[in-house]
Amino acid sequence: MQLGFYVDTEICSGCKACMVSCKDKNDLNVGRNFRRVYEYAGGSCTDNGNGVFSQSVFAYYTSISCNHCDIPACTKACPTGAMHKRPEDGLVMVHDDICIGCSSCAQACPYDAPQLDEARGKMTKCDGCIDRLNAGKQPMCVDSCIHRALDFGPIDELRAKYGDTAEIAPLPSASITKPNLILRVHPDGQPVGSGAGSVVNPNEV
Amino acid sequence: MERRTFLKFSAAAAAVATVTGCESSSASDPLPTPSEPVLPPVGEGVTWGSCATNCWQACPLKVHSKDGVITRIETEGKATDDWDSFDHEIRPCPRGRSMRQKVYNHDRLKYPMKRVGRRGSDEFVRISWEEAVSSVAAAMQKTYAEYGKNAIFMPLGGGSHDLNTGVTQSSVRLLNMAGGCLFFHNDYSASQYREGSAGMYGYLASNDGDTVGFWNTGSSLRSLENSDLMVCFGYNPMEARLGGAGSGYEYLNVKKKNNFKTYYIDPRFTDTAVTATDEWVPIRPGTDAALCEAIAYVLIEDGYANIPFLEQYTYGYDKYEEYITGVTDGIARTPERAESICGIPAEKIREIAQAIGTASAPFVTQGFGPQRQGNGENNARAVMMLPILVGKISGAGTNHGGTPGNDGLSHYAMMPADSLKDLMNMKIMDVTIPAASHLDAIEFGTQMKPSTHDVRYSDKSLMDADTPLETNVRFLWLASSNMLANQNGDINRADRLLNDESLVDFVVVVEQHMTASAKYADIILPEVSWLEMYDVIQSYNKMDCGSLMYAYGITPAIDPMFECKPAYDICHMIANELGIGSKFTNGGMTYLDQVRKVFAEFKKSNSWIQGDTFEEFVSFGPQRRPAGEHPNVGKLRDFVTDPVNNPLGTPSGKVEIYSQYFESKQSQAEGTDEINPLPVYFACDESYEDATASEYPFQCINYHGKHSAHSIHASTPWLNEVLEHHLWLNPVDAGAIGVINGQKVIVESRRGKLEITVRVTPRIVPGVVAMPQGQWRRMKGDIDVGGCANTLTDSKPSPVAKSFRSNTNRVRVYSA
């Protein structure tokens, strides 16, 4: 069985409730975010020179945590074996006792999932809220989403429900790590590698 | 358990002990018989708390704690979460989600303090509660004796907005009983809208004793299920009211269900428009009325104006038509004329007009951004003019052109007879000034009159005599309010006035955090946080907060921190010093007794609420039901059905296109202000067309962002990280002034300078910069590095409502 996330970029308003509830649940200091919301915007709004505007602007938000990938880049990069993928549910986790905090995994992950706990010198990341899963609950981010744009569960069931798209700009190509992620693409969603827009909120992620 | 119980009981007794220690001539308050308190949990526990912030959503927080320390906030989990059947969860936005950090924030006020440095310098020393309350009481008595009650002013505050027994309610009760004070009418947020809509429709259904009836809200967002067109002017619920059962979620659902066309008219491509995939129609700030004139021109020229409706239901349409078509002054208000003012191409204006003209059920609505301008009253009225022109202000899927509303639950204040109706009969209501005028009242209060500054007296003879205020304001009481040196216009002016000791004698601040305004206190009285309180919380009355009515009770998750006290107990201590303790407590009622009494009153008029006692009510958690339509909607429907027997509250009883109320106010115009009885456009100071502001090339607007409802959450680190405070700047403008995304810039107006991180984004029109309001002012030299929008704004009042023109500013922007 493999668990994964569903993210609806059409109805995400970038409110960041998922980020904050995750920080609250996991006691994350400023600078450490297991979930991040990317604002991708492009097009233009210009004055035609006579005081009249033309616009072709688009924008959308993508909330991304760890995608518990089929081919995780982080586990491959980890020199100690601390970063590992669990066979029973496919969740990618850190063995805290053997992690040396070298950040190799963070540099390798194209989704920026591993987040260094500088105070302890240990890598930390989304564990799917395993304690909540064991108690029969959904991860905190899913439960806290004000627009109900997030879902979590066995990836086969989610794909049957939502399809199997896993790509949208500014994310990397899904072929790199085979993420257990499903996206509903915003009507203005741009393809991976598109130069039509840019991440305008780098300081927030 | 024993220690905790002792603490609880001793809290009530402590107030009394202070009296016996320094007994004045008054009879001391008898020791209240404490009711069995509801204690915070021991070990692991769950309590209900509230994010009682001033966004109207009043989200319930399921607070987990362990050994007296809050550990996390959970989602309520008390509903099926089915929006269709009105059983959706009330999910808090990031503000509510970060509440644990707010409670334990570094800037919590811990002890009573007195000022030792300049006002605003943040130099305080710790003092005892006894010294604090006796200082406040002595200063009150001195002010009453020397200047009379109208020298004391309590500004508007949002820090306990959604409470029934919080600091606002306790303070009003105390001040009223102590001798009264000068009070305010209207507010900072939407007074131009209120006055404008009242000019046009009169006050619609104002429920008995419900002051909020004056909001003149309209149809519910759910009624969009029956609309075939929506036209939005600056209405942005997904940023301003995103949480809870809020209007953001409501709009999202109704939009997905019935995919009507939305023209989204705003200087910013907001998150609401992004998420609802609306068509963004970029407009220059303050030019909404110019756009509406041009839309009206097309509606009239193309025969869409509903003449039979206008003749039967409205007053003054002929004058309006003459103005729009150019008969009045030779200038026809055509789309071609308007496009270079508002920035919207003439063909787009015609398209919007055609859409309104041909829609069977158009829903025209507005937020509070367009009215927060120097010409805001007219922007609000001009938008309302559109559905009036086509005769579609009532009926399925339509709206009267104002902000959306729903029916809701009323608040119950701790008044002597426990109803808001009594508020109208209180000492503090007999003289009021506009909410945004208190700096004027400090500087030249005795020059403020009804005819010029909208001073209002309940005594008609004082109104008729155009009586000026008898005294300047000299004493300020801040109840969880940042409306002294942060949230009001022109903070540099506020700083100058507050530091003129010949003008300001005393500033009292009852607060949870060291806000920008708290730094100006003479005495600081630290209040418990929302998660250390008891109260009855309900969804805000009859405002735009989705289609649920909901209510729940809150109890402390933890014991009061440090030396913080509930506001009721603080005010009780001061009442004791003034010799009115027993009166204040209704003969010895504790804080919890008051909460229980409020619940009993609340239950009386809401029989659907489960639980016979406050404790039972708390145990049920959030309870909800469908809200139904706002009474205003029924009032309008009755008027349209039978206008003769159901007149509106306007002088003519009809919809006043030509407002006699505005006509009567024309003497109050000053400088370049215009007060025109017709809902038409004019250019005010620092508007787009003000050539004298050419050294300040950008228009600067500020909006209610996702980070903070007003300024309540400004110091929460998690929020400052994930919702960065920043200035929106169009890429074309960024190129022209040579700044890049993420760098620091200085924004400077005629009134001040601030430093802020720039966000280069195409989501803002060129020539305009936008920033969230609500960050706390923090000066380094002459630069506000905190980035408070009101370092830039003007305190000059708007023409009719005499309210805050926060979106009318001209600025320059350059690299820091």
Side-chain angles (χ1 to χ4, degrees):
Chain A
M1 199 263 291
Q2 170 68 53
L3 296 170
F5 280 107
Y6 166 72
V7 179
D8 185 339
T9 66
E10 180 168 327
I11 64 171
C12 172
S13 64
C15 85
K16 320 288 200 301
C18 55
M19 290 180 78
V20 176
S21 63
C22 175
K23 289 176 87 83
D24 182 44
K25 192 254 173 188
N26 293 301
D27 275 321
L28 302 184
N29 50 292
V30 167
R32 205 155 47 111
N33 293 302
F34 292 174
R35 182 168 280 282
R36 297 154 310 284
V37 179
Y38 297 88
E39 179 186 344
Y40 189 81
S44 67
C45 180
T46 53
D47 185 323
N48 300 339
N50 57 351
V52 182
F53 301 132
S54 302
Q55 71 92 1
S56 60
V57 180
F58 68 86
Y60 55 85
Y61 295 93
T62 308
S63 173
I64 288 294
S65 176
C66 172
N67 299 312
H68 304 285
C69 304
D70 286 348
I71 314 170
C74 56
T75 57
K76 245 188 299 189
C78 178
T80 66
M83 191 66 79
H84 64 288
K85 186 171 173 70
R86 297 176 8 144
E88 62 268 39
D89 50 21
L91 293 177
V92 176
M93 295 204 189
V94 188
H95 283 308
D96 199 74
D97 50 346
I98 54 174
C99 170
I100 55 169
C102 69
S103 295
S104 303
C105 55
Q107 284 155 26
C109 173
Y111 297 99
D112 209 18
Q115 302 269 314
L116 183 66
D117 178 351
E118 287 179 5
R120 294 190 310 120
K122 299 284 183 185
M123 194 52 71
T124 57
K125 63 182 291 301
C126 161
D127 61 1
C129 281
I130 188 70
D131 52 340
R132 291 173 64 86
L133 297 179
N134 290 339
K137 295 180 189 161
Q138 283 285 59
M140 190 62 105
C141 55
V142 174
D143 258 8
S144 68
C145 177
I146 59 166
H147 282 179
R148 288 68 171 172
L150 298 175
D151 200 353
F152 183 84
I155 198 74
D156 295 348
E157 290 174 28
L158 294 179
R159 284 185 179 134
K161 199 169 167 186
Y162 302 114
D164 54 10
T165 305
E167 293 189 342
I168 192 171
L171 299 186
S173 163
S175 63
I176 302 171
T177 63
K178 297 234 177 321
N180 287 294
L181 168 73
I182 304 163
L183 296 169
R184 182 173 176 220
V185 176
H186 189 279
D188 289 329
Q190 302 296 307
V192 165
S194 165
S198 61
V199 174
V200 295
N201 67 331
N203 296 342
E204 292 177 345
V205 295
Chain B
M1 265 310 271
E2 272 180 21
R3 179 193 65 85
R4 297 158 56 82
T5 309
F6 169 75
L7 279 174
K8 287 285 166 189
F9 283 100
S10 63
V16 180
T18 62
V19 190
T20 49
C22 50
E23 184 55 29
S24 59
S25 58
S26 63
S28 70
D29 191 24
L31 182 69
T33 312
S35 41
E36 190 57 38
V38 187
L39 294 168
V42 178
E44 279 201 76
V46 178
T47 50
W48 291 105
S50 179
C51 179
T53 200
N54 189 357
C55 73
W56 310 336
Q57 310 306 330
C59 291
L61 305 176
K62 197 173 180 181
V63 186
H64 286 245
S65 59
K66 190 172 182 208
D67 300 332
V69 179
I70 299 163
T71 53
R72 69 181 184 278
I73 305 295
E74 288 268 6
T75 309
E76 52 139 326
K78 285 276 177 187
T80 58
D81 202 27
D82 180 36
W83 179 82
D84 280 317
S85 60
F86 297 87
D87 194 40
H88 43 299
E89 279 188 325
I90 306 154
R91 294 191 175 184
C93 84
R95 306 163 194 161
R97 285 280 169 185
S98 63
M99 196 56 62
R100 175 167 67 110
Q101 200 175 45
K102 183 175 185 291
V103 170
Y104 294 121
N105 210 353
H106 59 91
D107 63 359
R108 273 294 297 275
L109 297 169
K110 303 174 179 69
Y111 315 104
M113 294 194 288
K114 73 175 176 192
R115 176 173 65 90
V116 291
R118 175 186 180 275
R119 282 196 186 114
S121 67
D122 197 9
E123 291 166 36
F124 293 94
V125 294
R126 180 179 172 181
I127 55 173
S128 68
W129 270 109
E130 290 79 0
E131 185 184 344
V133 296
S134 62
S135 304
V136 171
M140 285 170 77
Q141 284 166 322
K142 189 167 180 283
T143 305
Y144 281 132
E146 284 183 32
Y147 300 101
K149 78 172 183 70
N150 292 325
I152 299 180
F153 184 73
M154 176 180 148
L156 181 69
S160 62
H161 185 267
D162 290 324
L163 305 174
N164 281 296
T165 56
V167 65
T168 302
Q169 297 79 9
S170 301
S171 301
V172 165
R173 183 181 177 85
L174 174 68
L175 287 165
N176 188 51
M177 290 177 172
C181 67
L182 180 69
F183 211 56
F184 57 85
H185 59 260
N186 283 341
D187 58 33
Y188 263 83
S189 302
S191 300
Q192 292 99 315
Y193 171 84
R194 277 192 199 196
E195 295 280 312
S197 63
M200 206 143 210
Y201 285 110
Y203 286 125
L204 292 163
S206 62
N207 285 10
D208 192 25
D210 177 6
T211 53
V212 181
F214 300 145
W215 283 95
N216 270 343
T217 47
S219 306
S220 73
L221 288 170
R222 267 202 205 222
S223 60
L224 281 158
E225 288 181 350
N226 301 306
S227 308
D228 55 352
L229 174 72
M230 185 177 194
V231 185
C232 263
F233 288 80
Y235 176 65
N236 184 19
M238 289 186 200
E239 290 177 69
R241 296 180 212 122
L242 60 164
S247 35
Y249 186 55
E250 199 81 3
Y251 179 50
L252 177 74
N253 276 308
V254 77
K255 180 86 180 184
K256 298 298 173 199
K257 196 167 173 174
N258 170 20
N259 196 20
F260 45 86
K261 170 79 184 181
T262 304
Y263 290 106
Y264 193 91
I265 299 156
D266 199 294
R268 298 169 59 234
F269 184 33
T270 66
D271 290 333
T272 301
V274 164
T275 309
T277 57
D278 300 328
E279 181 185 334
W280 180 38
V281 182
I283 186 172
R284 282 196 182 85
T287 65
D288 305 81
L291 168 63
C292 292
E293 284 178 356
I295 293 173
Y297 178 89
V298 178
L299 289 170
I300 293 166
E301 288 294 298
D302 290 0
Y304 291 116
N306 186 334
I307 302 300
F309 175 89
L310 292 161
E311 285 175 350
Q312 187 180 0
Y313 295 102
T314 71
Y315 174 87
Y317 172 67
D318 51 343
K319 291 194 186 77
Y320 180 74
E321 184 182 301
E322 286 169 1
Y323 183 89
I324 297 293
T325 55
V327 172
T328 308
D329 58 4
I331 303 168
R333 269 67 192 177
T334 63
E336 287 69 21
R337 183 180 175 276
E339 68 172 5
S340 63
I341 300 170
C342 65
I344 300 168
E347 59 269 26
K348 181 60 70 178
I349 297 175
R350 289 183 185 280
E351 181 190 317
I352 297 169
Q354 297 280 352
I356 294 171
T358 55
S360 58
F363 192 104
V364 180
T365 191
Q366 60 184 301
F368 294 146
Q371 58 91 53
R372 217 170 273 137
Q373 294 270 358
N375 56 3
E377 294 91 349
N378 275 22
N379 287 332
R381 288 196 298 154
V383 172
M384 292 182 152
M385 199 54 226
L386 302 178
I388 291 167
L389 255 186
V390 294
K392 299 217 165 100
I393 57 170
S394 177
T398 68
N399 184 37
H400 67 349
T403 209
N406 271 102
D407 200 6
L409 301 166
S410 291
H411 278 71
Y412 292 80
M414 295 187 300
M415 295 304 147
D418 296 294
S419 100
L420 270 181
K421 200 170 153 185
D422 291 323
L423 196 61
M424 313 308 289
N425 303 322
M426 290 166 67
K427 287 194 193 94
I428 60 168
M429 297 300 279
D430 64 356
V431 190
T432 65
I433 58 172
S437 295
H438 59 273
L439 293 184
D440 290 352
I442 291 169
E443 192 172 10
F444 54 81
T446 54
Q447 294 168 41
M448 293 169 69
K449 303 193 294 281
S451 67
T452 52
H453 294 83
D454 200 19
V455 173
R456 298 183 186 179
Y457 296 97
S458 58
D459 180 340
K460 192 171 174 299
S461 65
L462 294 172
M463 287 299 280
D464 293 341
D466 200 24
T467 315
L469 288 177
E470 64 187 9
T471 171
N472 289 0
V473 166
R474 307 191 59 89
F475 180 118
L476 292 129
W477 179 291
L478 269 81
S480 248
S481 166
N482 208 358
M483 202 64 83
L484 190 64
N486 208 77
Q487 292 303 92
N488 39 324
D490 194 354
I491 302 304
N492 285 335
R493 178 189 176 203
D495 179 75
R496 285 192 301 273
L497 291 174
L498 292 166
N499 275 293
D500 185 337
E501 305 228 354
S502 73
L503 291 176
V504 179
D505 297 327
F506 209 77
V507 180
V508 183
V509 170
V510 191
E511 245 310 347
Q512 304 172 19
H513 299 264
M514 183 58 87
T515 66
S517 294
K519 292 175 183 172
Y520 286 81
D522 292 300
I523 296 284
I524 285 179
L525 305 171
E527 188 202 0
V528 292
S529 76
W530 293 331
L531 301 191
E532 298 154 56
M533 287 182 187
Y534 303 99
D535 213 336
V536 176
I537 307 285
Q538 73 278 354
S539 53
Y540 200 52
N541 32 349
K542 301 173 187 58
M543 294 300 293
D544 172 26
C545 46
S547 56
L548 285 186
M549 287 183 179
Y550 47 93
Y552 55 96
I554 61 170
T555 57
I558 52 173
D559 287 321
M561 289 174 66
F562 305 100
E563 285 190 12
C564 299
K565 290 180 186 290
Y568 179 81
D569 293 351
I570 295 170
C571 291
H572 179 194
M573 291 166 75
I574 297 167
N576 278 340
E577 291 288 325
L578 295 168
I580 54 169
S582 186
K583 187 178 173 190
F584 180 81
T585 58
N586 276 0
M589 288 174 71
T590 63
Y591 171 39
L592 189 52
D593 291 338
Q594 291 282 6
V595 174
R596 287 178 173 133
K597 190 167 79 157
V598 165
F599 172 72
E601 289 293 320
F602 176 66
K603 171 89 181 185
K604 250 187 254 176
S605 47
N606 292 284
S607 55
W608 61 279
I609 288 287
Q610 296 179 297
D612 292 330
T613 62
F614 173 68
E615 286 76 3
E616 279 180 22
F617 171 61
V618 169
S619 70
F620 277 102
Q623 300 179 47
R624 73 211 78 208
R625 70 183 306 198
E629 70 176 20
H630 194 288
N632 289 346
V633 178
K635 179 88 185 257
L636 265 183
R637 189 165 49 236
D638 293 345
F639 166 71
V640 170
T641 307
D642 182 356
V644 175
N645 289 311
N646 303 299
L648 297 177
T650 55
S652 63
K654 295 182 169 186
V655 177
E656 295 211 342
I657 295 170
Y658 181 94
S659 168
Q660 298 182 74
Y661 176 62
F662 274 51
E663 188 179 45
S664 74
K665 291 260 184 182
Q666 282 182 302
S667 65
Q668 296 190 9
E670 55 173 292
T672 54
D673 281 350
E674 261 182 55
I675 296 181
N676 190 326
L678 291 171
V680 296
Y681 171 74
F682 69 91
C684 59
D685 285 349
E686 298 201 29
S687 65
Y688 172 60
E689 294 191 280
D690 178 2
T692 69
S694 57
E695 297 158 68
Y696 300 94
F698 291 101
Q699 287 181 274
C700 178
I701 55 173
N702 53 80
Y703 57 94
H704 287 62
K706 296 180 288 197
H707 177 295
S708 185
H710 308 121
S711 71
I712 291 169
H713 305 267
S715 64
T716 304
W718 285 340
L719 294 176
N720 286 325
E721 178 193 15
V722 307
L723 294 163
E724 182 189 37
H725 187 54
H726 58 262
L727 182 83
W728 282 26
L729 179 71
N730 185 283
V732 177
D733 294 329
I737 60 176
V739 305
I740 56 169
N741 194 32
Q743 75 160 81
K744 293 275 189 194
V745 292
I746 303 292
V747 186
E748 182 180 350
S749 76
R750 283 176 174 157
R751 291 155 295 275
K753 291 190 275 193
L754 61 79
E755 185 181 81
I756 187 170
T757 303
V758 77
R759 178 166 299 176
V760 179
T761 175
R763 294 174 60 179
I764 178 97
V765 298
V768 179
V769 293
M771 61 191 290
Q773 58 86 62
Q775 282 292 307
W776 295 348
R777 181 175 185 265
R778 197 171 70 250
M779 297 305 286
K780 269 199 186 152
D782 65 342
I783 296 175
D784 169 13
V785 295
C788 172
N790 292 318
T791 295
L792 306 172
T793 58
D794 200 345
S795 57
K796 178 186 171 179
S798 69
V800 177
K802 303 298 177 202
S803 191
F804 191 21
R805 47 172 77 200
S806 57
N807 284 333
T808 304
N809 305 288
R810 292 286 290 270
V811 301
R812 48 179 172 242
V813 182
Y814 47 92
S815 288

